[in-house]
Amino acid sequence: MSTPRRLGVRAQLALLLALVVLPSLGVVGYLIQTQRTAAIEDAQQNARLLASHAESTLDALVSQMRRLLGTLAYVPAIRSGSAPECSALLARVLEKTREFGNFGFLAPDGEMQCSGLPYPPGMNFSDRDYFKEVVGTREFTVSGYLIGRLMHAPVIVFAHPVLDDEGKALIGVLYASLPLAWISHQFESALMPPGSVMELYDPSGLLLARYPHDDTVGRTRPESRVFQSILRNRATGTTVLEGADGVKRLYAFNSLLTKTANLGAYIAVGLPADAAFAKVHRVTLRSIIVFSGAVALVLLLGWWGTDFLFARPLGELVAATKRLSLGDLGTRAPDAFEIKEFSELGRAFNQMAGALEERHRELEDYIRRLDRLNRVRAILSGISSALLRIKDKQTLLEEVCRIAVDQGRLRLAWVGLLDESRSWLVFAAHAGIGRECFAGLRIPMDPAANAERGPARQAVLTNGPVVWDRIQDDPLHEDWRERAELLGYRSAVALPIRIDDRIVGALSLYSEENGFFNEDEIRVLLDLAADTGLGLSHIEKGERIEQLVYYDQLTGLANPSLVEDRIDQAIARARFSGRHVAAVVLDVRGLKHINDLFGRRAGDEALRAVAESLKPVVREGDTVGRLAGDDFVLGLVDMARPSDVTQILREILDAVPSSVEIEGERISINVRMGVAIYPSDGQTATDLVRNASLALDSAAGQETEPFVLYSSSANAVAHENFVIVRDLRQAIAKGELFLEYQPVVQLSNRSIVGVEALLRWQNPSLGMVPPDRFVPLAEDSGLIHDIGAWVIAEACRQGALWQRAAKSFSVAVNISPMQLRRAGFAQSVMEIIARQWAGEGGACLVIEITESAVMENIDLAITELGRLKNAGLSVSIDDFGTGYSSLSRLRSLPIDSLKIDRSFVRDLETDSSAVAVANGIIALAHSLGLRVIAEGIETEGQLAILRQHGCDAGQ
């Protein structure tokens, strides 16, 4: 039996050497391969970063251009068709958007209408795909890559339709061209080694952009080795190629696809091979030296030192290398070994890992800075667009805050404005998280006040930006720091807002990142605050002009011109939609009496009170304005049926107060409305307002309905009312008015105890005009005061004659509510009596006024009627039972008698309830010591019933 042959010392040493060297060489190879892979991944990462940056920037430009072109499409200079004005505007836009090559406007047939750049006449773009797509879809579009006809260079074109005011007919196509050299400028900002090359191809092999730029840009190069490698690698991968300049480079490829436009391209990044693999070579050389020394040392130390001096440190280094290769850039290897070379290898490894970590940190910091700056620029871009379209101050401030939070991805944005006294900074608008911290906020602006030194207050006081880089480290206001930490606020900036060199407030922005607001961001944000102030300035000036031109200065309502303009706009829309539009002329009765009693200032206050009641009740889109005097006009739009106006008018009637308080007294007012509806009552706003006024005039004297619709007869009725008022002005002078006297009979013995003077008018052309036809018109026109004074004087004259003829009985005259409300009424009556009934044994005049007139302003009635009562006159309440008197106030009235309304007397023989009412009135009057007179007795049966229940007299 043979024994196994043992290895000799040399063989064992050789085996030991093999066992030691082979793993070591494997580690070296692994490190070299790791470095090579890292270099290739760096190249690929650069390509991906550049592609991502180009994509995001291009997407942002697409969104920006959609908004910008959409805004420009409504600018009158473009829509007017004036080439000089249009070209001038586009040239200014081009000057402010330096990255763009041109802005132009094409007619519907593709003919160039105007351009930001000079262009030869007759240029036509109807063959361009983007033009065809916009004409076909009427939507914003982005072209593929093409050669611009004016610039003769690769461009991308953004195109937007310009439609007419109805949004149907195409006026033209507005476009903007973006030179692809812009992408080359994006390449220049990348941090790459000297000798690096970057190229951008479209799918056909057209070289769209190159850095550094040369004359091959704009040429189709499908034979290019770089492009062929892109196709072989399916747009993603790496390769090593020798360029035309003899430099060998490591190329990495990536595709570029935008989200907002159908654009595709390939990006290739070429790094010099020496630079790309320099670290690999250095690590390789150092590793060979270190491991060679380690092997020699192991051979000298022998078996016992192998594990202690070699295997353990190598295992630690390998483990660290694996962690590093898995992406743990914080991995570090031990650098203190008994073998110096292993220590150096550990330090070299750590240097390599540190360099990778630093490079990765720098790249992340660069991307973060770039992202932050792009976010801030996106805010500025969004707000620039908002300035063009927003005309309301509150809406603008809210949009500024919203854009700052959404586009800038900030935690909070809020605006504070100085109040009129400039003593307080008051919360005005907000967007983001934490509104509860600022809603209702009022910050004192007195520099001596003991107030929190927040950034907004400091920005206003110092007239400059104020930054908090780390809110959590602020030594002041411990409670605020805790709340800020809870809401995720880490840093903040406040920027003063100025209007015409006048500070009006501050814009405050809060970020969840420490130190977010550095110098670059603040420079852009100062432009943001300046733009916000500029927008507020334009809005303020526009509001002042609009207020003066279009609004009534007393009530703040729209003036007739603005109301008619809005009605005309609603009519233009209604012609296409089939909807209905109404004009309503609203007359507030009672305001003239307030002027008579309390003066013009009190009347103005009453007008404002009515105006304030009308504002909240109209629907969104409707318009309420002041027409003239005590008349208002309303434009009611977008109604499906003419009958819809009835419900709206009911709501308006409910909103208008039935009385207003003036100097401690409540004065009754009531509303009458005339209505005209498109299309049946007129085709223009002027027609509708005029016809609504005619409808209102035609209803004079009719109290059955508070609003009257225009009809074909309204013109005739309004004309008749005009003639009646015109002739009524001369009726007294011409002797056309006269009085008839209806006797008042004592029912117990049927003797005449008095008469009631009844006004009559005999007009030469109209004949006998009924009182209920002309008296309401006299009240509306104010003629009732002169006519009423004439009636009192004539009744006194006739009463004096009867008295001289030994016929001593009372003469009753009816008083209009307007007469009673006029200042000095009682005094004027007594002066008339003194002139007409002087020396005739005392006037037996009875003043009759309706129950409803007394209840309009009972305090005024008590005062004025009390003066007449004290002067020896009698006072009677006419039409009692129809005015809903308060019994508690009735007994305080200075009256002598009540008149039962004829409506109760008429039904005495047929309606038991009428008998009950008449009996109740008689019993009530007698309990108060008042006489009762029944009006309109026509039959013996009515007379018998009244006598049975104790009625004193009748007519």
Side-chain angles (χ1 to χ4, degrees):
M1 183 175 178
S2 61
T3 58
R5 185 177 180 181
R6 295 186 176 183
L7 297 176
V9 175
R10 291 185 178 180
Q12 292 180 7
L13 290 175
L15 180 59
L16 178 61
L17 178 60
L19 293 174
V20 173
V21 171
L22 289 177
S24 301
L25 291 177
V27 171
V28 172
Y30 180 78
L31 289 174
I32 294 171
Q33 184 60 37
T34 299
Q35 291 297 312
R36 186 176 184 86
T37 301
I40 292 173
E41 288 179 351
D42 277 349
Q44 290 177 329
Q45 180 67 9
N46 284 331
R48 285 193 293 269
L49 287 175
L50 287 172
S52 175
H53 173 65
E55 286 170 8
S56 62
T57 305
L58 192 54
D59 283 335
L61 278 174
V62 171
S63 298
Q64 176 184 351
M65 291 312 298
R66 183 190 298 272
R67 293 193 299 272
L68 177 59
L69 294 180
T71 301
L72 291 176
Y74 287 94
V75 175
I78 291 177
R79 302 172 67 88
S80 66
S82 172
E85 293 181 8
C86 175
S87 295
L89 173 64
L90 294 180
R92 291 196 299 271
V93 174
L94 180 61
E95 182 181 355
K96 293 183 178 180
T97 54
R98 301 181 183 278
E99 64 268 33
F100 283 86
N102 190 28
F103 287 81
F105 180 66
L106 307 177
D109 60 354
E111 188 80 9
M112 173 74 81
Q113 292 289 98
C114 58
S115 169
L117 294 178
Y119 63 93
M123 289 194 73
N124 192 286
F125 294 80
S126 60
D127 58 331
R128 290 293 199 183
D129 290 340
Y130 65 83
F131 178 84
K132 296 175 182 178
E133 184 173 350
V134 172
V135 171
T137 64
R138 306 293 175 87
E139 297 287 341
F140 172 83
T141 190
V142 182
S143 74
Y145 304 104
L146 48 85
I147 303 300
R149 288 181 176 169
L150 276 177
M151 302 180 61
H152 306 292
V155 295
I156 300 172
V157 177
F158 307 88
H160 195 286
V162 180
L163 305 178
D164 63 7
D165 293 339
E166 285 75 23
K168 295 182 177 181
L170 183 70
I171 298 175
V173 176
L174 189 63
Y175 78 88
S177 58
L178 176 67
L180 290 179
W182 166 81
I183 299 180
S184 298
H185 299 328
Q186 304 303 309
F187 290 165
E188 293 176 5
S189 63
L191 302 176
M192 305 298 292
S196 298
V197 173
M198 303 177 203
E199 297 178 346
L200 185 70
Y201 292 89
D202 77 353
S204 67
L206 175 65
L207 182 59
L208 302 173
R210 187 179 190 277
Y211 177 80
H213 185 80
D214 61 21
D215 57 0
T216 60
V217 175
R219 299 179 184 178
T220 301
R221 302 178 60 199
E223 75 285 356
S224 167
R225 296 177 63 191
V226 175
F227 182 73
Q228 290 298 321
S229 296
I230 291 173
L231 296 181
R232 285 195 302 271
N233 287 274
R234 297 182 180 179
T236 302
T238 58
T239 188
V240 177
L241 295 174
E242 182 173 334
D245 55 359
V247 177
K248 184 179 292 186
R249 294 183 176 88
L250 171 62
Y251 283 89
F253 317 110
N254 203 68
S255 59
L256 186 152
L257 292 172
T258 62
K259 300 175 183 176
T260 55
N262 187 19
L263 301 174
Y266 306 120
I267 188 168
V269 180
L271 305 178
D274 291 340
F277 299 112
K279 187 174 291 186
V280 176
H281 297 157
R282 290 196 302 271
V283 171
T284 301
L285 180 60
R286 183 176 297 173
S287 298
I288 292 173
I289 295 173
V290 171
F291 281 105
S292 297
V295 169
L297 183 60
V298 167
L299 291 175
L300 292 175
L301 294 177
W303 318 111
W304 63 270
T306 301
D307 181 69
F308 179 76
L309 299 177
F310 183 77
R312 182 178 57 81
L314 184 58
E316 293 178 355
L317 288 172
V318 170
T321 303
K322 288 182 178 180
R323 291 196 300 273
L324 182 64
S325 68
L326 293 174
D328 184 2
L329 300 181
T331 295
R332 294 296 183 269
D335 58 1
F337 297 109
E338 282 73 8
I339 299 177
K340 179 181 178 182
E341 285 75 5
F342 272 16
S343 297
E344 291 179 356
L345 181 60
R347 286 192 291 271
F349 176 88
N350 291 341
Q351 290 174 2
M352 177 186 68
L356 288 174
E357 185 177 24
E358 181 64 25
R359 175 65 182 278
H360 187 266
R361 187 163 45 248
E362 290 175 356
L363 186 59
E364 286 185 336
D365 185 59
Y366 171 76
I367 293 173
R368 187 165 51 252
R369 290 200 310 272
L370 185 63
D371 177 67
R372 283 162 47 182
L373 196 57
N374 284 337
R375 284 155 55 183
V376 174
R377 286 175 175 165
I379 297 173
L380 189 60
S381 175
I383 291 176
S384 297
S385 174
L387 294 178
L388 295 175
R389 56 185 171 81
I390 296 178
K391 304 302 180 185
D392 176 71
K393 179 168 69 174
Q394 184 63 33
T395 303
L396 175 63
L397 294 177
E398 291 175 353
E399 185 70 0
V400 166
C401 294
R402 186 195 65 78
I403 291 174
V405 171
D406 293 348
Q407 300 292 338
R409 300 197 296 277
L410 296 175
R411 199 71 174 170
L412 169 74
W414 71 279
V415 173
L417 296 179
L418 291 172
D419 64 359
E420 292 184 0
S421 67
R422 301 182 67 81
S423 301
W424 297 88
L425 186 68
V426 182
F427 173 84
H430 148 277
I433 297 173
R435 185 185 193 279
E436 65 276 6
C437 296
F438 301 92
L441 183 66
R442 286 170 56 86
I443 303 175
M445 296 310 300
D446 184 358
N450 184 22
E452 293 185 358
R453 294 185 296 169
R457 180 173 185 267
Q458 293 299 104
V460 173
L461 292 176
T462 62
N463 191 18
V466 176
V467 179
W468 278 356
D469 280 330
R470 296 177 62 86
I471 295 177
Q472 63 269 34
D473 294 339
D474 178 27
L476 301 175
H477 317 305
E478 181 72 27
D479 293 341
W480 165 242
R481 297 208 324 267
E482 293 178 359
R483 177 63 63 87
E485 183 72 23
L486 181 64
L487 294 173
Y489 304 155
R490 299 291 185 274
S491 60
V493 65
L495 308 152
I497 301 175
R498 304 179 185 87
I499 297 180
D500 300 330
D501 297 326
R502 170 174 53 94
I503 296 180
V504 298
L507 169 63
S508 299
L509 307 173
Y510 289 76
S511 172
E512 61 186 2
E513 300 179 26
N514 286 320
F516 180 85
F517 302 101
N518 59 31
E519 293 182 2
D520 293 335
E521 281 76 19
I522 290 175
R523 279 195 294 269
V524 179
L525 291 174
L526 285 173
D527 292 338
L528 163 63
D531 286 353
T532 303
L534 181 62
L536 293 176
S537 175
H538 288 330
I539 291 172
E540 280 189 0
K541 292 175 182 177
E543 287 176 346
R544 287 197 294 270
I545 294 173
E546 183 177 358
Q547 189 68 29
L548 292 173
V549 174
Y550 295 112
Y551 290 90
D552 177 61
Q553 299 305 299
L554 175 62
T555 63
L557 299 178
N559 62 19
S561 175
L562 179 57
V563 175
E564 290 194 8
D565 178 67
R566 290 181 177 174
I567 293 176
D568 278 328
Q569 293 180 27
I571 289 174
R573 294 192 297 271
R575 288 194 180 101
F576 295 94
S577 63
R579 310 285 281 186
H580 297 272
V581 180
V584 180
V585 175
L586 184 148
D587 176 49
V588 183
R589 299 186 177 183
L591 294 183
K592 291 180 181 178
H593 315 315
I594 294 175
N595 287 335
D596 293 340
L597 286 172
F598 302 103
R600 171 65 66 180
R601 179 173 298 178
D604 290 345
E605 289 297 326
L607 269 176
R608 280 191 284 265
V610 174
E612 288 301 318
S613 71
L614 291 173
K615 289 178 183 178
V617 76
V618 295
R619 304 167 305 157
E620 183 177 358
D622 294 343
T623 304
V624 57
R626 184 184 177 199
L627 190 60
D630 54 4
D631 288 344
F632 296 86
V633 59
L634 297 94
L636 308 180
V637 305
D638 195 31
M639 294 180 293
R641 298 169 298 277
S643 58
D644 290 347
V645 73
T646 304
Q647 178 61 32
I648 300 173
L649 295 182
R650 295 291 182 192
E651 294 176 1
I652 292 173
L653 286 172
D654 292 340
V656 176
S658 60
S659 63
V660 293
E661 184 172 341
I662 303 296
E663 297 184 4
E665 296 192 28
R666 296 212 68 84
I667 306 298
S668 297
I669 60 175
N670 59 78
V671 171
R672 302 280 291 166
M673 291 182 282
V675 185
I677 303 175
Y678 168 86
S680 59
D681 300 337
Q683 296 297 310
T684 67
T686 301
D687 293 340
L688 291 181
V689 173
R690 182 187 64 245
N691 291 340
S693 297
L694 291 175
L696 182 63
D697 293 341
S698 70
Q702 303 176 20
E703 303 297 333
T704 56
E705 284 293 334
F707 53 84
V708 181
L709 299 176
Y710 175 79
S711 65
S712 57
S713 62
N715 252 325
V717 174
H719 179 71
E720 182 180 341
N721 289 346
F722 172 77
V723 171
I724 290 174
V725 173
R726 182 196 64 192
D727 292 353
L728 193 58
R729 295 183 188 277
Q730 305 296 323
I732 296 176
K734 292 181 178 181
E736 298 175 2
L737 297 178
F738 64 94
L739 298 180
E740 290 183 345
Y741 297 93
Q742 184 180 38
V744 178
V745 178
Q746 184 74 27
L747 298 186
S748 60
N749 57 17
R750 299 197 179 189
S751 62
I752 297 176
V753 294
V755 294
E756 179 180 354
L758 304 176
L759 177 63
R760 300 291 183 260
W761 180 22
Q762 179 69 44
N763 182 273
S765 58
L766 300 176
M768 185 66 72
V769 184
D772 60 356
R773 184 74 180 92
F774 72 84
V775 170
L777 293 175
E779 290 179 331
D780 285 343
S781 62
L783 294 174
I784 194 65
H785 298 294
D786 292 336
I787 294 174
W790 179 85
V791 169
I792 295 172
E794 181 64 16
C796 288
R797 185 190 65 78
Q798 184 61 54
L801 292 176
W802 282 329
Q803 197 174 61
R804 285 197 295 270
K807 297 179 180 179
S808 179
F809 45 75
S810 63
V811 179
V813 294
N814 289 291
I815 300 301
S816 166
M818 291 182 63
Q819 290 177 269
L820 181 64
R821 288 193 294 262
R822 192 171 195 178
F825 166 71
Q827 181 63 32
S828 66
V829 172
M830 288 185 286
E831 290 175 357
I832 293 172
I833 293 174
R835 290 195 302 269
Q836 298 294 338
W837 218 319
E840 303 296 339
C844 296
L845 190 67
V846 178
I847 299 297
E848 288 192 5
I849 188 162
T850 63
E851 181 186 11
S852 58
V854 170
M855 298 312 296
E856 282 186 7
N857 192 335
I858 193 167
D859 293 331
L860 176 65
I862 292 173
T863 301
E864 292 296 304
L865 297 178
R867 291 174 181 171
L868 296 175
K869 177 77 173 173
N870 294 335
L873 277 68
S874 297
V875 179
S876 179
I877 299 298
D878 199 6
D879 299 337
F880 189 79
T882 62
Y884 308 102
S885 295
S886 168
L887 297 180
S888 63
R889 304 302 300 272
L890 180 64
R891 60 182 184 176
S892 63
L893 286 170
I895 58 177
D896 301 281
S897 60
L898 299 179
K899 277 192 172 184
I900 302 176
D901 186 69
R902 66 180 64 250
S903 63
F904 301 116
V905 175
R906 182 181 60 243
D907 299 329
L908 285 176
E909 295 178 284
T910 60
D911 188 352
S912 60
S913 62
V915 176
V917 171
N919 185 38
I921 293 174
I922 294 169
L924 171 65
H926 287 169
S927 68
L928 296 175
L930 304 177
R931 295 180 70 247
V932 181
I933 303 170
E935 292 183 304
I937 302 175
E938 298 178 352
T939 68
E940 288 291 340
Q942 294 170 350
L943 175 62
I945 294 172
L946 290 169
R947 290 181 62 181
Q948 176 186 350
H949 289 89
C951 183
D952 300 300
Q955 291 178 228

